[in-house]
Amino acid sequence: MIQSLFPSSPNDIASINAICIGSGRFLRSVLVPALIGCQLKPIILQTRGRSFMDYCHERLLQNGDNQNKDFILTYEVDTVFQSKVETEEIKCYGAGTLGTNEGKEAFLSNLLPNMKSLSIIAVGVTEAGLSSVTSKAMQDLADILYACYKLQANGSLKCEENSNGKICVICTDNVPNSGSLIQTYMFDIAGNKFDKTSQTDASDTSTDNVSNNGPNKKRRVDQDSDNGASNFRIFLEQNVVFHDTMVDRITSQREGSNGMVPRAEPVPSKALVIEDLNGDLPKQLTMQSIREKYGVVARTKPGQLTGDIALKLRVANGTHTAIAHVLALSQLLMTDVLSSGQDKTELLMKYLDSLFTHQILPGAQESFGLEETKAVYEDWRQRLTHPKFGLSSFFITQNGAQKCGIRISPTVSDLILQNKPVTVTTIFAIAAILRFLTPINAKKSVNGIYTGWLDGFKRECSEKIVSDKDTVSYADGLSYNLRQGWYEFRCSCEIMTDNKGPKLLPDLLGSFESVEQPIRYEEIIRSYLTKNDGGNLSDDSDFKDSLNVLVKAVSTIYARMVAGDGFFKLLHEMNDRQSVFDEGGFESPFNVLIDTTPGGGTSRPLHYRRSPLPNDSLVLKAKFDADPATIKSIVFSEVSSVSAIDLHTHLLPPSHGALCLWGIDELLTYHYLVAEYFMTASPNISPEEFFAQTKQNQADAIWKALFIDRSPVSEACRGVITTLTALDLQDELQARDLNGIRLFYNSFRDDGIAGAERYSDMVFKKAGIRYAVMTNIPFDPMEVQHWRPKPKDYSNNFRAALRVDPLLSGDRKTVESALLASGYNNTIDGAKKYLHDWCDLMKPEYLMASTPHDFVLKEDNGILTNINKTGVNEDAMKLPGAFVDVASSVNGCNVDCDGGEDGMASVIDENSDFLSQVLMKVCEERDLPLALKIGAHRQVNPRLQTAGDGVVAFADTGVLARLCTRFPNVRFLATFLSRNNQHEACVLATKFRNLHLYGCWWFCNNPSIIEEITKMRVEMLGTAFTAQHSDSRVLDQLIYKWSHSRGVIGDVLSKEIIKLIESGWSPNRDELRRDVKKLFGGSYEDFMSKSFVRQK
């Protein structure tokens, strides 16, 4: 058996000037061809085996070249182009092995001493070869360098090809700072191995000496030097250059070649980058022609190589890592599938393109330049989508925990530091890595190997692992089985979590054997992301807020992946702009993925935000335990994300012009704050003087009195603060800058109706309102124009409700006047037709009654005759609700709707034919409910105008009971103003299925009372009520009234859920979402969908 394939001719030996330690495929496909192109003559030495030497020998025999005079060996390299595969024969000038005593002897004693010059020592070994100073490769390199030191010392070996006469050591393994690492190893070996008391002399080239690995053989100590080790170190420092490098040509192997034939992609622009700060490389190796043909680039300035590596890690390696775990888990085994044009792979490329364009590029361009970064990606993208060349996706997933920190986290850090948005694509990439590193169960690894389950397979179905014919090995000791749905992986990342001590990441992820809510993963994910050999992100104060969002976002996507929401389902949601991705798609900011929500309770607003868990997410099927923090988080998340129906407001749409109230001045002059202002105002300021001022001056006075002169702690004042904060006006608030706040609103007002519509839409979105039901009483010329001759169009955000006050109270005179003035017959049928016509016009959700507290019907047994006209505007009387004006003029009642709350009558004429034959008949015929608001006492202090209304301490609930009894086919919506009526109202709701309670009205709309009422209703009614309505008259109020209410309702509901679980019930999130939806409008819709009329 041959021990070497070296030339025998002294001249041939003397011409060799490059040594390759190792026979790595990259070295043979990139560096060796480049060395040949520079007219250098390299030999290749394996450190352990002899497979390459045997391969070359076999080729010699096959080609009949055993008598090769020049002793030039050749090996093949396949380059895969899109339309063909080109095979090139690469020369080398010798092959050997350092893995046997004889092989190492042949080189150290026979070949090396006869070489005249040595320019390059290439190191082409695996990562294991560079992992330790004691590795065989590093020990062999030290022996060779020591031999070179001795040969140079006696003048027999020079370095003629290199400008500075120094031997250049070039590593072709993908290890950061490989040159510096090897230099450190060599210095260490120089100080420990080659001392004269314990080591042999590696420079003795006599045939009696063999490798220090040989049995019973020792090299003698250098007798020519008093300090051989010290001089060797000086030689290393002065005569050897250890170049840092970057390698970047994807290289696999020809099928069936046992690794002997590299199979490589076309040469990229930077296949091998070598740092050469002092011009030590052979000049030929730095020529432009070499760069263009072989992709070998010399970097001569500090920082250039660092930039190349950083860009490669972020762009090429970062996108590779981001996609590999998805491919592997999705059973897409090779990266060349990305060129297939399939729907799935097209989607993956859209994801990668967005990841680069909106994450990697913005993060990198400040440091590396826009054009350079784009050029790297364009080059990489072409390589990644090569149709005939790909790498094993499973193979790329190795060391995923560390690669995330090296390849993806730098982009995250730069984006955060530069105050640029992190998007959902980055979150998806990190979550996919963690999903890959999640084992099937909590069992410990076997010899460091864990087992995971593939996307699309059930976790529990993959537990019975059997290695069979379908099992495929993808790396040393690691396999996968697509049919059974499992794969193996290693992970050595150890993290700390509270009260658990250091544990391996997969052990912690696998400890959750069932689907959990996102909050349950947050602690582990935070620990991983901030671990140096994990996510490698800072947890400094500058990163704290962003890190918190990042952790929550990753936890959400990870929870969905573990639950079984497929990778492509998630990507489709992003690409198709579904759910929370509807505005940004792949570019959606990462905060849309927050599930756990800050705020809530009676003290903190719980602002609306959309849930990152769509209704079909399998996370919703997961049950949750009685952990209070988890339950509160889940409940608050669901309450904050439910779209509410505001079933009673006094809002009007922007199409109604000035009747649509919005803006800071309207907020500050709302009657809640006017009443509070007069509690503190000087006696010198009369209500009449105050109301005579302009709206802005009124607002200025209230701002000073309630926000400047004292803290705005009342619920009404706090509501203004909450609203302005939600509108991102914190700076103006902190500066107490009322005019600055007005400037914000002016930016909308300046656009007229379009600006108002835009502002209205924004408020509805911020408040999380599906639609709001108006109170429509057009009684003045300003509102008439919006209904006649044709109702103006308005947004779907608004729905109508028609007030019918006199019909409920039996106000015969007012009704008859309205009918006569409108041209209707003074008959019951005429009254019904009048009401039907206006129902056709307004298409109301329901009819609503609201009359003054002191309005008392005087019973009149007459028919609709002998009625005197009242001199009212007959055109105006043709409008629904116009009879309210008549009531005001005939009865002296001050009935208006332009600022005050509506008060229900304390007297309802239950025997009136208007009630039984008109109002109730129309309700039955049109199947419309009647909404009642009970308990207001109008004009307690008339001087305060709309701010002067009060409450009836104990309203008569018997009227409501009798209405429900007498008209069982009519549905009634009811709310009570007095706290004292709430319990009796709940009892009534349990007795009448045609009664639905809603909201905490007016003086009850304070957190402490909302809490009390909601708790009582849940305990008595379950979810068969509507928890809140805003009663808003100013558009902006939707924001704070719902944010404050959500917090209180969420707090109440979380405590009730805890009680339920502790009683033995195990709810899942889907059930919770259903129930929350009912409390925020779903029960109202259920009630509205009932038809007792059809049950007759």
Side-chain angles (χ1 to χ4, degrees):
M1 180 180 293
I2 62 169
Q3 299 301 319
S4 64
L5 282 176
F6 297 144
S8 56
S9 165
N11 290 334
D12 290 340
I13 294 175
S15 68
I16 294 172
N17 50 19
I19 299 169
C20 299
I21 301 175
S23 60
R25 293 190 293 269
F26 181 90
L27 179 144
R28 288 188 284 131
S29 63
V30 176
L31 184 54
V32 172
L35 295 178
I36 297 296
C38 294
Q39 306 304 309
L40 296 176
K41 294 185 176 182
I43 64 169
I44 297 176
L45 307 171
Q46 285 180 270
T47 58
R48 291 188 179 276
R50 49 176 292 139
S51 57
F52 179 72
M53 180 176 63
D54 290 341
Y55 162 76
C56 291
H57 184 240
E58 183 178 350
R59 282 178 58 81
L60 282 174
L61 296 177
Q62 289 176 349
N63 296 331
D65 289 338
N66 54 323
Q67 302 298 322
N68 189 341
K69 294 180 180 180
D70 296 327
F71 209 83
I72 299 175
L73 306 178
T74 62
Y75 61 89
E76 293 180 319
V77 173
D78 290 342
T79 299
V80 184
F81 295 94
Q82 291 196 12
S83 59
K84 61 181 179 179
V85 176
E86 289 187 358
T87 300
E88 184 179 4
E89 290 197 351
I90 307 298
K91 296 178 183 178
C92 69
Y93 292 82
T97 179
L98 303 175
T100 65
N101 295 327
E102 295 80 5
K104 195 166 187 177
E105 169 70 13
F107 171 71
L108 289 175
S109 299
N110 298 334
L111 184 72
L112 185 59
N114 294 303
M115 290 171 54
K116 297 301 181 183
S117 180
L118 179 59
S119 172
I120 301 290
I121 297 178
V123 180
V125 296
T126 63
E127 289 185 17
L130 298 178
S131 63
S132 169
V133 68
T134 60
S135 72
K136 176 73 164 52
M138 292 300 97
Q139 294 294 318
D140 286 342
L141 176 61
D143 285 345
I144 292 172
L145 285 172
Y146 192 75
C148 293
Y149 151 64
K150 297 304 294 180
L151 291 169
Q152 280 201 2
N154 62 31
S156 63
L157 184 66
K158 301 182 183 300
C159 184
E160 297 174 343
E161 295 81 7
N162 298 355
S163 300
N164 297 328
K166 297 180 180 181
I167 299 172
C168 294
V169 177
I170 302 172
C171 179
T172 61
D173 188 76
N174 199 15
V175 173
N177 304 310
S178 57
S180 301
L181 179 64
I182 293 172
Q183 183 183 53
T184 300
Y185 288 161
M186 295 303 104
F187 285 170
D188 187 43
I189 294 172
N192 293 290
K193 182 174 182 179
F194 296 108
D195 63 66
K196 63 182 180 180
T197 60
S198 62
Q199 299 297 326
T200 61
D201 185 354
S203 68
D204 191 328
T205 58
S206 70
T207 57
D208 293 333
N209 293 310
V210 294
S211 166
N212 62 324
N213 293 322
N216 304 317
K217 300 274 188 172
K218 289 187 178 180
R219 294 196 184 94
R220 58 183 174 78
V221 178
D222 178 14
Q223 301 294 333
D224 302 323
S225 172
D226 292 333
N227 193 349
S230 176
N231 288 341
F232 179 43
R233 165 104 184 202
I234 293 172
F235 165 78
L236 293 175
E237 292 174 346
Q238 297 181 354
N239 296 82
V240 182
V241 180
F242 298 89
H243 295 273
D244 285 336
T245 60
M246 181 190 83
V247 300
D248 189 23
R249 188 185 188 189
I250 301 175
T251 308
S252 60
Q253 59 179 314
R254 180 193 291 176
E255 187 175 353
S257 71
N258 295 319
M260 290 301 100
V261 180
R263 183 176 185 271
E265 65 176 334
V267 177
S269 59
K270 287 189 276 190
L272 174 62
V273 181
I274 307 170
E275 188 171 59
D276 187 31
L277 301 181
N278 298 310
D280 295 304
L281 289 172
K283 286 187 177 180
Q284 306 96 304
L285 197 57
T286 65
M287 294 173 61
Q288 183 66 23
S289 58
I290 296 298
R291 176 172 183 167
E292 292 174 356
K293 184 172 183 179
Y294 302 105
V296 177
V297 180
R299 291 302 196 191
T300 59
K301 295 179 181 179
Q304 286 182 321
L305 177 64
T306 301
D308 289 326
I309 293 172
L311 273 180
K312 175 182 178 255
L313 288 172
R314 292 191 188 198
V315 178
N317 298 142
T319 52
H320 223 188
T321 297
I323 204 69
H325 297 81
V326 181
L327 290 173
L329 287 167
S330 302
Q331 305 176 57
L332 300 173
L333 303 181
M334 300 294 291
T335 57
D336 57 10
V337 73
L338 295 172
S339 66
S340 66
Q342 300 175 20
D343 290 343
K344 284 186 175 181
T345 56
E346 289 292 315
L347 183 60
L348 287 173
M349 289 311 301
K350 287 183 180 180
Y351 155 68
L352 276 189
D353 287 341
S354 178
L355 179 65
F356 170 75
T357 303
H358 299 282
Q359 297 290 268
I360 297 172
L361 181 60
Q365 68 183 59
E366 187 172 303
S367 299
F368 308 108
L370 178 66
E371 295 306 318
E372 177 70 11
T373 307
K374 289 171 66 175
V376 170
Y377 182 66
E378 288 169 5
D379 176 69
W380 171 247
R381 196 183 191 281
Q382 290 181 357
R383 297 161 62 190
L384 190 62
T385 55
H386 194 300
K388 299 293 181 63
F389 188 87
L391 291 180
S392 163
S393 55
F394 274 102
F395 184 85
I396 303 168
T397 62
Q398 294 178 93
N399 302 313
Q402 291 76 25
K403 287 177 179 177
C404 178
I406 295 170
R407 301 176 173 185
I408 296 175
S409 292
T411 291
V412 177
S413 296
D414 277 352
L415 289 171
I416 293 173
L417 286 174
Q418 297 172 33
N419 198 30
K420 294 177 180 177
V422 178
T423 73
V424 295
T425 53
T426 294
I427 303 305
F428 183 86
I430 297 172
I433 293 171
L434 292 172
R435 165 64 177 86
F436 188 90
L437 297 175
T438 303
I440 291 173
N441 51 43
K443 295 178 182 177
K444 296 293 183 181
S445 62
V446 179
N447 298 323
I449 297 176
Y450 297 90
T451 303
W453 77 103
L454 296 173
D455 194 37
F457 284 81
K458 291 185 177 179
R459 189 173 189 173
E460 61 273 14
C461 293
S462 301
E463 289 191 352
K464 296 181 179 179
I465 298 171
V466 179
S467 183
D468 57 17
K469 62 181 180 61
D470 296 311
T471 300
V472 178
S473 174
Y474 72 86
D476 186 21
L478 300 177
S479 303
Y480 61 81
N481 190 305
L482 301 186
R483 183 178 61 82
Q484 296 180 27
W486 57 264
Y487 60 94
E488 295 172 326
F489 66 92
R490 293 187 183 92
C491 179
S492 60
C493 180
E494 194 173 65
I495 63 175
M496 295 284 294
T497 57
D498 292 344
N499 303 320
K500 294 181 181 179
K503 286 190 176 182
L504 291 172
L505 176 62
D507 290 337
L508 290 168
L509 294 175
S511 65
F512 300 106
E513 295 192 28
S514 59
V515 176
E516 298 286 347
Q517 299 301 316
I519 189 176
R520 299 280 284 161
Y521 301 116
E522 287 183 11
E523 182 185 1
I524 295 172
I525 290 175
R526 179 184 301 276
S527 298
Y528 163 71
L529 289 175
T530 55
K531 186 71 164 54
N532 288 341
D533 62 344
N536 197 32
L537 289 172
S538 170
D539 58 356
D540 294 342
S541 56
D542 291 343
F543 278 77
K544 184 176 180 181
D545 291 343
S546 296
L547 179 64
N548 287 340
V549 176
L550 186 76
V551 168
K552 293 177 183 295
V554 173
S555 298
T556 297
I557 293 296
Y558 173 76
R560 294 192 62 186
M561 290 176 174
V562 171
D565 291 352
F567 286 96
F568 286 98
K569 170 180 168 53
L570 288 164
L571 290 172
H572 270 297
E573 288 177 12
M574 297 176 191
N575 182 65
D576 299 343
R577 295 176 177 257
Q578 300 174 14
S579 185
V580 294
F581 311 112
D582 61 343
E583 294 186 0
F586 283 127
E587 288 76 64
S588 300
F590 68 160
N591 58 7
V592 304
L593 294 172
I594 296 176
D595 181 48
T596 54
T597 304
T602 58
S603 61
R604 296 187 64 183
L606 186 60
H607 293 293
Y608 173 75
R609 44 166 302 283
R610 298 173 64 185
S611 174
L613 302 175
N615 290 331
D616 59 352
S617 172
L618 294 177
V619 175
L620 300 185
K621 301 301 181 183
K623 298 185 183 298
F624 41 89
D625 56 31
D627 173 58
T630 300
I631 291 173
K632 189 171 184 178
S633 169
I634 296 169
V635 172
F636 277 21
S637 178
E638 290 301 319
V639 170
S640 70
S641 61
V642 64
S643 293
I645 297 171
D646 198 339
L647 67 85
H648 172 66
T649 74
H650 298 274
L651 300 174
L652 290 170
S655 59
H656 284 49
L659 299 180
C660 174
L661 304 182
W662 59 283
I664 185 61
D665 292 338
E666 297 293 351
L667 270 177
L668 291 175
T669 56
Y670 190 57
H671 65 81
Y672 290 9
L673 292 175
V674 171
E676 188 176 343
Y677 166 76
F678 276 110
M679 288 191 291
T680 64
S682 167
N684 296 327
I685 302 175
S686 70
E688 292 77 14
E689 291 172 332
F690 174 82
F691 290 119
Q693 298 180 47
T694 65
K695 181 79 72 173
Q696 181 169 323
N697 287 342
Q698 292 176 25
D700 287 341
I702 292 174
W703 175 260
K704 183 178 184 304
L706 302 183
F707 295 82
I708 303 301
D709 294 345
R710 54 185 49 79
S711 297
V713 295
S714 71
E715 175 64 8
C717 287
R718 187 172 75 99
V720 175
I721 303 300
T722 296
T723 301
L724 297 178
T725 300
L727 295 172
D728 295 325
L729 295 171
Q730 296 95 325
D731 291 342
E732 288 81 357
L733 277 175
Q734 294 304 317
R736 313 296 194 258
D737 184 4
L738 180 57
N739 287 328
I741 295 170
R742 286 179 174 132
L743 287 176
F744 165 79
Y745 283 101
N746 288 343
S747 67
F748 291 93
R749 293 193 186 280
D750 290 344
D751 290 338
I753 187 69
E757 292 283 7
R758 185 160 46 90
Y759 182 73
S760 175
D761 287 342
M762 181 180 71
V763 168
F764 270 83
K765 288 180 180 178
K766 283 186 176 292
I769 306 302
R770 286 173 54 196
Y771 60 85
V773 181
M774 304 178 284
T775 301
N776 298 107
I777 314 175
F779 64 90
D780 64 23
M782 289 297 294
E783 191 165 349
V784 168
Q785 61 185 326
H786 302 296
W787 292 105
R788 285 294 188 185
K790 178 183 178 182
K792 287 188 176 179
D793 293 334
Y794 50 82
S795 163
N796 291 332
N797 290 334
F798 300 90
R799 297 191 183 182
L802 177 61
R803 285 177 60 173
V804 289
D805 312 42
L807 294 174
L808 187 69
S809 61
D811 183 359
R812 183 179 302 276
K813 189 168 293 187
T814 301
V815 173
E816 291 178 352
S817 297
L819 293 176
L820 287 172
S822 303
Y824 290 83
N825 294 329
N826 283 344
T827 63
I828 292 297
D829 288 340
K832 286 174 60 180
K833 179 171 174 44
Y834 176 87
L835 197 54
H836 275 301
D837 286 348
W838 286 106
C839 285
D840 290 337
L841 177 70
M842 289 188 170
K843 297 179 174 55
E845 283 272 300
Y846 51 75
L847 305 183
M848 178 186 172
S850 184
T851 57
H853 165 72
D854 56 355
F855 182 68
V856 179
L857 173 68
K858 293 181 180 179
E859 191 67 35
D860 184 353
N861 294 324
I863 311 300
L864 298 178
T865 56
N866 303 318
I867 302 298
N868 295 322
K869 288 191 176 183
T870 60
V872 298
N873 184 320
E874 294 192 9
D875 289 334
M877 288 301 299
K878 296 178 181 178
L879 295 169
F883 35 68
V884 177
D885 275 339
V886 180
S888 180
S889 61
V890 173
N891 295 24
C893 300
N894 180 21
V895 181
D896 62 39
C897 297
D898 59 352
E901 295 291 345
D902 300 325
M904 266 310 305
S906 58
V907 175
I908 296 177
D909 187 353
E910 301 171 56
N911 298 312
S912 167
D913 50 0
F914 290 143
L915 174 68
S916 60
Q917 299 301 313
V918 178
L919 181 57
M920 292 298 104
K921 287 292 185 181
V922 170
C923 285
E924 286 193 24
E925 290 170 7
R926 301 189 76 94
D927 203 9
L928 282 173
L930 177 64
L932 306 173
K933 298 203 304 179
I934 305 170
H937 193 304
R938 295 298 301 275
Q939 298 292 290
V940 171
N941 183 352
R943 293 185 69 197
L944 294 185
Q945 298 184 12
T946 57
D949 294 342
V951 61
V952 177
F954 293 92
D956 181 11
T957 60
V959 174
L960 180 60
R962 290 189 292 274
L963 286 173
C964 291
T965 301
R966 184 177 173 189
F967 304 104
N969 295 328
V970 176
R971 292 161 291 163
F972 295 91
L973 300 160
T975 190
F976 286 81
L977 185 55
S978 174
R979 178 184 181 190
N980 299 316
N981 289 117
Q982 302 303 326
H983 182 258
E984 188 175 2
C986 286
V987 173
L988 281 179
T990 68
K991 309 307 173 187
F992 297 99
R993 63 176 184 170
N994 60 335
L995 173 61
H996 183 81
L997 297 184
Y998 69 96
C1000 300
W1001 177 33
W1002 196 350
F1003 299 121
C1004 286
N1005 196 4
N1006 291 302
S1008 59
I1009 303 178
I1010 296 172
E1011 181 180 21
E1012 175 187 317
I1013 293 173
T1014 303
K1015 183 176 181 180
M1016 180 193 304
R1017 288 174 174 172
V1018 170
E1019 290 176 344
M1020 297 185 69
L1021 307 177
T1023 60
F1025 67 98
T1026 298
Q1028 188 57 298
H1029 74 284
S1030 75
D1031 215 41
S1032 296
R1033 188 176 299 277
V1034 179
L1035 188 63
D1036 314 56
Q1037 292 172 333
L1038 287 175
I1039 295 175
Y1040 93 78
K1041 290 197 175 189
W1042 280 102
S1043 295
H1044 289 190
S1045 294
R1046 287 178 195 270
V1048 178
I1049 296 166
D1051 192 53
V1052 170
L1053 189 57
S1054 63
K1055 293 173 183 176
E1056 296 302 316
I1057 295 296
I1058 291 173
K1059 287 162 52 178
L1060 182 62
I1061 293 175
E1062 290 178 344
S1063 295
W1065 185 259
S1066 298
N1068 64 34
R1069 190 157 178 173
D1070 193 38
E1071 295 167 338
L1072 174 63
R1073 177 169 292 185
R1074 172 202 63 199
D1075 294 340
V1076 169
K1077 182 178 179 181
K1078 287 186 179 299
L1079 293 176
F1080 283 80
S1083 288
Y1084 164 73
E1085 289 189 318
D1086 290 345
F1087 182 75
M1088 295 289 283
S1089 68
K1090 293 179 180 179
S1091 178
F1092 298 114
V1093 174
R1094 290 191 292 269
Q1095 300 302 317
K1096 292 192 299 183

